[in-house]
Amino acid sequence: MERQILTPKFPHFLHGGDYNPDQWLDRPDILEKDIELMKKAHVNCVSLGIFAWAKLEPQEGVYCFDWLETIINNLYENGIYTILATPSGAKPLWMSEKYPEIRRVSKTLHRDLSGQRHNHCYTSPVYREKVREMDTRLAQHFAGHPGVIMWHISNEFGGTCYCPLCQEAFRNWLREKYGTLENLNHAWWTNFWSHTYTDWEQIHAPVPNGETEVHGLTIDWKRFTTYQTLDFMSEEIRAVKAVNPDLPVTANLMSFYEEIDYFKFGPKLDVISWDAYPAWHNLEPLKEAARTASCHDLMRSIKHEPWLLMESTPSVTNWAPVCKLKRPGMHELASLQAIAHGSQSVQYFQWRKSRGSSEKLHGAVVDHYGGSDTRVFREVTHVGERLETLEKAVYHTEVKPEVAIVFDWENRWAMEGSRGPRNGGLKYEQTVQAHHRAFWKQGVPVDFVDMDGDLSGYKLVITPMLYMYRNGFAKKLRAFVENGGTLVSTYWSGIADDTDLCFLGGWPGDGMMEVFGIWNEEIDALHEGETNRMDVRESMEGLRSSYTLSELCECIHLRGAEALAVYGQDFYAGSPVLTKNHFGAGDAYYVAARAEDAFQEDFYASLVKELGIRRALDTVLPEGVTASLRVGETDVVFVQNYNGEEKTVRLPYAMTDAETGETVQGDLVLPGYSAHILLEK
Ligand code: GLA
Ligand code: ZN
């Protein structure tokens, strides 16, 4: 099957990034130099106009697009394509002063003053109208331009507004959802503390000095925030698509960003893109490499399609607590990591450093120095060259995992908005990433799915800490196992339903006790530094005799499952902690306590072997070295070394170097911070 082409007007790997010529219109020499340097750096695509509203509409109703047209034409004539932004991420000052309603109201219920960015009200009819007008005009002017290949809708949607318009929209959304107050009161369990609503007007968004203890309200407010953000974005998309329905749209997302359920963006966007800013070389650099891989996988999984790396810094950010330089090689490695996980681009923030204001010290391809004889420019150029070389072998391949991890935003909001069993940190995101890391270390590709997603087609599904079972998900899990799938679930799963009402009759609820063959009676929380022990009883191949447990330990009972391991300590010593239940044609494992990484690594390695799940490279991978896989007519293996020093990998058979065309076999030597791209013979 031909892969979806993200940018039909220019079907190639994209290399380039955010370009802000609107800051340099009085410097034609610099604009000219930009083109010269872009060509030198093998840049073929820029994102334009993201924060240019004040230049596009300097006064209300006065539109100036000539400068933008000149820039787009110049770029196009020089072989550089444009992803054109709608400028709604930052409203011009004249507008936010004239129309206060477009400014957000914060949790303290104070309205923002003008300034900053990404802070418009998503509900405001005035702002929606202004944006619609701007987007329509931009589309009429540019959507047919041969150099404009995609829309970049706004910038990094996020945040929440507590203004009266948003609160009213929330109430209407609730009316639509629940129909009656009686239904709402039941779903939110409001008899508790006499918080029963007797009038819709009594409902307010959760804020610190208001209602925070009706957990159903908190989750619904977050659902509404996603809904309203999407509604705003959809209006923008409608405006540009009305002019040219064929020009694809994207929005730049932020991976595990807490406030928005990105899975809901999938059906609205033609292309998923995201902005990756890993803290390379932090104090746990290998974990950071794995975490970044999980972010790429999450973003790819929104549509299960190729995606675009829309932003990344060519050198440093200026907002991290410590803005450490990428070590030589790291930039290329990080860029190829994105490609390895399914990206069709390496784009940067930013092309040229601004001279003033908040991002003047943020990394860029072109420094204030202005020349191409810099380390960063050379590394960027090399990435561009490598992408060109790799395109033929890699562009038409895709990532097709056999393993899926369930990550669900609503589950996250529910678990984290709840109280107990460990208010010092349940660590949902970290737990999901720890499970992902165990596969990353073995070079096993992984997808994410949420509870609206499709499980069929996977051999192995992991549901870490799935506190909430919503939208009939338990039935999906049940069917998956019944039909022969292997399911691994953990502690703190199957506790509450869609509106955070606890399941009655035993956990994991909604029929899943039967699937796992266990009953979870109690959960114990451990203090920092306290541990328990998992003693492995039944020999599961590859497992050690014991593992350290911490933080959360459930007291479960067997109801048909077999115990593979038991607790080693405390009053529940000897009771099961790792169980397996054969159900239908499949198996359901339950891990009742938080275990050290080594457990996940050994346990999943054993399952990967048993289930015949494909690794990118079937060999021993040294610590900090991993392999990723894109499959196609010829499969492509990306071997990546995240250590600063050289590592050697023994290839299982002869392969072809995708860049040199040479045969490689035996020992593959990987310099520090490097990636080798190999083709299966
Ligand atoms: C985000 C924004 C960019 C820029 C970068 C800086 O990703 O989208 O405009 O501010 O951060 O890292
Ligand atoms: Zn608002």
Side-chain angles (χ1 to χ4, degrees):
M1 199 186 74
E2 180 72 349
R3 304 193 68 195
Q4 196 215 339
I5 301 295
L6 305 184
T7 46
K9 277 191 192 171
F10 184 65
H12 297 281
F13 280 143
L14 306 180
H15 183 234
D18 284 18
Y19 179 39
N20 302 306
D22 38 304
Q23 295 173 17
W24 302 95
L25 293 180
D26 60 348
R27 289 293 303 267
D29 56 320
I30 286 200
L31 298 179
E32 202 174 308
K33 186 85 184 164
D34 280 335
I35 302 263
E36 180 197 320
L37 291 176
M38 281 178 193
K39 288 165 87 170
K40 197 163 184 192
H42 294 249
V43 160
N44 59 17
C45 178
V46 297
S47 303
L48 269 181
I50 302 174
F51 298 112
W53 200 328
K55 279 275 180 296
L56 296 168
E57 190 184 357
Q59 289 172 46
E60 189 161 23
V62 177
Y63 296 90
C64 303
F65 294 173
D66 288 359
W67 66 270
L68 184 58
E69 192 173 345
T70 306
I71 300 269
I72 293 177
N73 286 341
N74 270 342
L75 289 164
Y76 180 60
E77 279 156 23
N78 285 282
I80 301 158
Y81 289 77
T82 294
I83 295 177
L84 186 58
T86 65
S88 61
K91 43 202 171 5
L93 221 54
W94 61 256
M95 195 190 295
S96 70
E97 288 290 305
K98 181 167 177 194
Y99 302 104
E101 76 159 59
I102 73 173
R103 291 188 246 132
R104 265 183 208 172
V105 167
S106 71
K107 266 189 189 174
T108 60
L109 302 186
H110 289 97
R111 195 173 290 280
D112 291 350
L113 303 180
S114 292
Q116 313 288 338
R117 63 171 179 176
H118 301 161
N119 54 1
H120 50 274
C121 169
Y122 288 129
T123 308
S124 158
V126 171
Y127 198 55
R128 285 184 177 220
E129 173 55 32
K130 293 282 175 206
V131 170
R132 197 182 314 121
E133 184 65 32
M134 170 57 75
D135 291 1
T136 304
R137 283 170 185 267
L138 277 175
Q140 283 162 348
H141 213 99
F142 296 108
H145 194 292
V148 175
I149 59 171
M150 184 175 283
W151 287 108
H152 180 296
I153 304 293
S154 201
N155 196 63
E156 294 190 337
F157 283 110
T160 312
C161 176
Y162 294 82
C163 81
L165 292 168
C166 286
Q167 308 253 7
E168 188 50 35
F170 178 47
R171 287 181 204 113
N172 290 337
W173 181 86
L174 290 170
R175 274 201 189 93
E176 184 82 10
K177 176 169 182 181
Y178 292 107
T180 66
L181 277 177
E182 197 188 342
N183 292 340
L184 176 142
N185 279 313
H186 180 266
W188 290 359
W189 209 252
T190 55
N191 285 332
F192 186 81
W193 289 350
S194 271
H195 289 196
T196 311
Y197 294 95
T198 55
D199 190 321
W200 293 96
E201 294 304 309
Q202 294 160 359
I203 302 174
H204 304 281
V207 290
N209 68 336
E211 184 66 274
T212 54
E213 294 309 318
V214 175
H215 294 162
L217 162 72
T218 308
I219 300 166
D220 273 337
W221 171 251
K222 290 184 182 263
R223 286 175 174 138
F224 164 76
T225 298
T226 289
Y227 169 86
Q228 198 68 350
T229 306
L230 265 181
D231 193 58
F232 181 92
M233 184 181 80
S234 301
E235 255 191 67
E236 290 213 62
I237 293 173
R238 268 198 301 280
V240 295
K241 290 262 181 187
V243 179
N244 179 358
D246 296 332
L247 197 61
V249 295
T250 190
N252 51 340
L253 312 182
M254 297 175 280
S255 69
F256 284 90
Y257 179 69
E258 198 268 342
E259 291 186 53
I260 295 204
D261 179 355
Y262 283 143
F263 278 105
K264 304 265 187 309
F265 280 55
K268 306 275 180 196
L269 296 171
D270 297 312
V271 175
I272 296 297
S273 65
W274 89 280
D275 303 341
Y277 293 98
W280 297 118
H281 314 296
N282 69 4
L283 298 178
E284 290 188 300
L286 298 182
K287 262 195 183 168
E288 188 63 3
R291 193 188 67 80
T292 306
S294 78
C295 295
H296 291 324
D297 286 342
L298 179 66
M299 294 292 94
R300 184 192 64 248
S301 298
I302 294 173
K303 282 182 90 74
H304 297 287
E305 278 172 12
W307 52 279
L308 297 178
L309 179 65
M310 189 57 82
E311 292 180 22
S312 62
T313 178
S315 56
V316 285
T317 66
N318 68 339
W319 45 258
V322 176
C323 303
K324 203 172 168 80
L325 293 177
K326 280 194 213 168
R327 272 39 204 162
M330 193 68 229
H331 177 60
E332 274 178 58
L333 174 57
S335 300
L336 290 166
Q337 180 191 35
I339 302 289
H341 286 264
S343 176
Q344 302 291 65
S345 71
V346 175
Q347 300 279 106
Y348 310 115
F349 178 86
Q350 48 193 337
W351 166 253
R352 180 185 281 279
K353 268 184 198 176
S354 57
R355 236 188 130 179
S357 289
S358 91
E359 287 177 331
K360 62 185 184 294
L361 301 181
H362 191 290
V365 181
V366 182
D367 206 330
H368 297 130
Y369 163 67
S372 59
D373 52 337
T374 63
R375 182 175 75 95
V376 170
F377 194 94
R378 279 191 296 273
E379 293 207 10
V380 163
T381 305
H382 204 216
V383 169
E385 289 165 347
R386 290 187 78 178
L387 289 178
E388 282 167 11
T389 311
L390 286 167
E391 184 165 289
K392 189 160 173 280
V394 184
Y395 191 71
H396 292 279
T397 59
E398 64 183 319
V399 184
K400 271 269 163 234
E402 297 174 310
V403 177
I405 295 178
V406 174
F407 176 79
D408 188 277
W409 261 272
E410 298 185 35
N411 176 59
R412 172 190 204 166
W413 298 332
M415 191 185 334
E416 283 163 8
S418 188
R419 289 185 179 262
R422 208 173 179 280
N423 299 309
L426 286 169
K427 306 183 183 168
Y428 177 51
E429 185 182 329
Q430 290 97 316
T431 305
V432 166
Q433 283 163 359
H435 285 257
H436 180 279
R437 190 161 60 240
F439 291 98
W440 179 84
K441 283 194 166 187
Q442 304 178 61
V444 172
V446 173
D447 267 347
F448 286 99
V449 289
D450 78 343
M451 284 191 263
D452 301 316
D454 183 9
L455 302 180
S456 59
Y458 296 109
K459 289 184 179 166
L460 175 62
V461 169
I462 324 283
T463 63
M465 300 185 82
L466 205 59
Y467 163 92
M468 173 185 268
Y469 288 159
R470 66 171 180 84
N471 193 21
F473 191 64
K475 284 183 193 63
K476 256 191 221 174
L477 284 176
R478 192 187 178 95
F480 171 74
V481 181
E482 247 167 3
N483 293 329
T486 300
L487 169 66
V488 178
S489 199
T490 77
Y491 52 93
W492 213 226
S493 285
I495 309 299
D497 71 5
D498 302 53
T499 61
D500 207 23
L501 299 182
C502 290
F503 289 115
L504 304 178
W507 295 336
D510 209 9
M512 290 303 287
M513 271 174 27
E514 198 193 338
V515 177
F516 292 111
I518 59 139
W519 165 42
N520 162 25
E521 185 184 0
E522 291 183 284
I523 182 161
D524 192 16
L526 277 54
H527 290 288
E528 295 301 322
E530 276 185 343
T531 57
N532 201 319
R533 208 178 62 233
M534 173 192 286
D535 289 336
V536 177
R537 202 161 67 174
E538 290 302 312
S539 53
M540 194 173 161
E541 213 199 306
L543 253 58
R544 288 189 336 221
S545 59
S546 80
Y547 295 94
T548 303
L549 304 173
S550 63
E551 296 181 353
L552 294 163
C553 298
E554 280 176 352
C555 304
I556 64 170
H557 304 274
L558 300 179
R559 290 264 178 107
E562 55 170 320
L564 302 179
V566 295
Y567 285 106
Q569 290 169 15
D570 222 310
F571 75 93
Y572 39 91
S575 72
V577 61
L578 172 65
T579 63
K580 175 180 181 179
N581 193 39
H582 196 65
F583 185 81
D587 289 310
Y589 292 86
Y590 194 85
V591 188
R594 180 165 290 164
E596 60 178 310
D597 281 355
F599 168 72
Q600 270 90 245
E601 286 163 28
D602 297 347
F603 179 57
Y604 290 136
S606 143
L607 284 180
V608 162
K609 212 164 154 193
E610 187 188 318
L611 300 172
I613 289 167
R614 180 166 173 199
R615 298 176 64 205
L617 204 59
D618 200 9
T619 189
V620 177
L621 294 170
E623 182 76 3
V625 174
T626 192
S628 310
L629 183 64
R630 286 179 60 143
V631 295
E633 231 158 76
T634 303
D635 296 347
V636 189
V637 178
F638 294 71
V639 193
Q640 305 141 61
N641 178 14
Y642 292 92
N643 301 286
E645 60 292 340
E646 179 182 296
K647 294 283 169 188
T648 303
V649 172
R650 165 58 54 117
L651 298 179
Y653 39 74
M655 300 175 87
T656 307
D657 186 307
E659 289 162 285
T660 64
E662 281 164 15
T663 297
V664 266
Q665 54 193 326
D667 282 347
L668 176 71
V669 179
L670 296 144
Y673 306 128
S674 71
H676 272 243
I677 293 96
L678 305 175
L679 307 178
E680 299 277 357
K681 284 249 178 219

